[in-house]
Amino acid sequence: MSYIVAPPAVASLPVVGGAQRFPVRRIFCVGRNYADHAREMGVPADRQQPMFFSKPADAVVSDGVDVPYPSATQELHHEVEMVVALGAGGRDLTPEQASGLVWGYGVGLDLTRRDLQAEAKARSHPWDAAKGFDHSAPVSALCPASAVEPGPETVISLWVNDELRQQSRLDDMIFNVPELLSHLSKLFELRAGDLLFTGTPAGVGPLQRGDSFHAELQGIARLDGRIV
Ligand code: MN
């Protein structure tokens, strides 16, 4: 097979304690999955149906790699989130079936051009430019579910310049991982290589050039980086 231009590289993430990498197919994200974050955004949390959006696979940035401050915004925001990596796929799945798709876990930032998102909401425009820009998805090395499973009391945290900005327990999520994947599988056929950002707790806020960030999914994953 020959191509008109060089085929794009496969986006991928490192795996904790291994030489192999996890290939990224799609990046799905859920909005408003923590009630306290929905409240700070001034919108009601929908407990019937999660709200999904996506980022391109090549928006991933690996642990330790600098993140360029994006163009066309004056308000880059952090949203720390648990990231679920799928090792298998399917569609129209029950939560029980969907839980079997999970290969591993990480922690990531759903970076957001908040000013463009507010404008998109006001004009009923799509969120792509607010959410799916280049380098908008820093993610830690992934930890296999066979090694450790997060529990309801697992804490997710984000520090910016050593100041704690966001912290929550996973049981503050409105929809848990099997429920999210079940809903998502009714909209899209899921495949191995897919990532799901599972939503952010309260405390989202601005990042500036020169800021360093440190995110943790307690006992499972760590992410460090810098905005440049
Ligand atoms: Mn988010």
Side-chain angles (χ1 to χ4, degrees):
M1 173 74 73
S2 77
Y3 296 98
I4 299 303
V5 296
V10 175
S12 67
L13 288 168
V15 170
V16 172
Q20 289 184 309
R21 294 180 67 91
F22 182 89
V24 178
R25 188 188 80 117
R26 290 186 185 175
I27 304 175
F28 297 104
C29 305
V30 61
R32 300 165 198 163
N33 197 33
Y34 289 77
D36 58 353
H37 171 63
R39 212 172 295 121
E40 74 178 349
M41 297 304 287
V43 286
D46 184 345
R47 293 175 186 275
Q48 306 305 314
Q49 177 70 45
M51 184 271 289
F52 295 107
F53 60 94
S54 61
K55 296 175 185 264
D58 66 357
V60 289
V61 179
S62 290
D63 180 43
V65 176
D66 288 347
V67 176
Y69 195 96
S71 63
T73 183
Q74 305 300 321
E75 198 180 17
L76 176 66
H77 267 204
H78 55 74
E79 297 189 358
V80 69
E81 310 199 2
M82 177 170 70
V83 177
V84 176
L86 302 191
R91 54 190 166 90
D92 270 323
L93 305 174
T94 65
E96 293 68 31
Q97 293 168 326
S99 64
L101 306 185
V102 176
W103 177 86
Y105 300 92
V107 64
L109 295 184
D110 165 17
L111 293 177
T112 303
R113 284 167 165 149
R114 192 70 74 201
D115 46 358
L116 296 199
Q117 187 193 32
E119 190 181 328
K121 286 178 180 175
R123 296 175 166 204
S124 300
H125 283 176
W127 284 13
D128 300 57
K131 288 290 197 178
F133 53 92
D134 296 340
H135 314 287
S136 60
V139 180
S140 68
L142 300 174
C143 183
S146 57
V148 60
E149 280 276 350
E153 297 182 3
T154 300
V155 173
I156 185 167
S157 309
L158 174 71
W159 290 263
V160 177
N161 302 329
D162 297 325
E163 177 197 340
L164 184 64
R165 292 275 188 94
Q166 293 187 265
Q167 189 163 63
S168 188
R169 283 166 42 136
L170 292 184
D171 60 1
D172 287 332
M173 293 198 300
I174 294 169
F175 298 96
N176 65 26
V177 170
E179 290 166 344
L180 289 172
L181 292 174
S182 171
H183 280 286
L184 191 59
S185 77
K186 294 176 164 69
L187 294 168
F188 305 95
E189 180 171 356
L190 303 178
R191 302 280 293 271
D194 290 346
L195 298 179
L196 173 63
F197 278 65
T198 56
T200 196
V204 302
L207 289 165
Q208 313 291 348
R209 286 181 187 82
D211 284 348
S212 60
F213 56 80
H214 173 75
E216 278 189 35
L217 183 62
Q218 182 187 16
I220 296 175
R222 302 162 70 90
L223 170 70
D224 286 283
R226 205 163 50 112
I227 308 296
V228 298

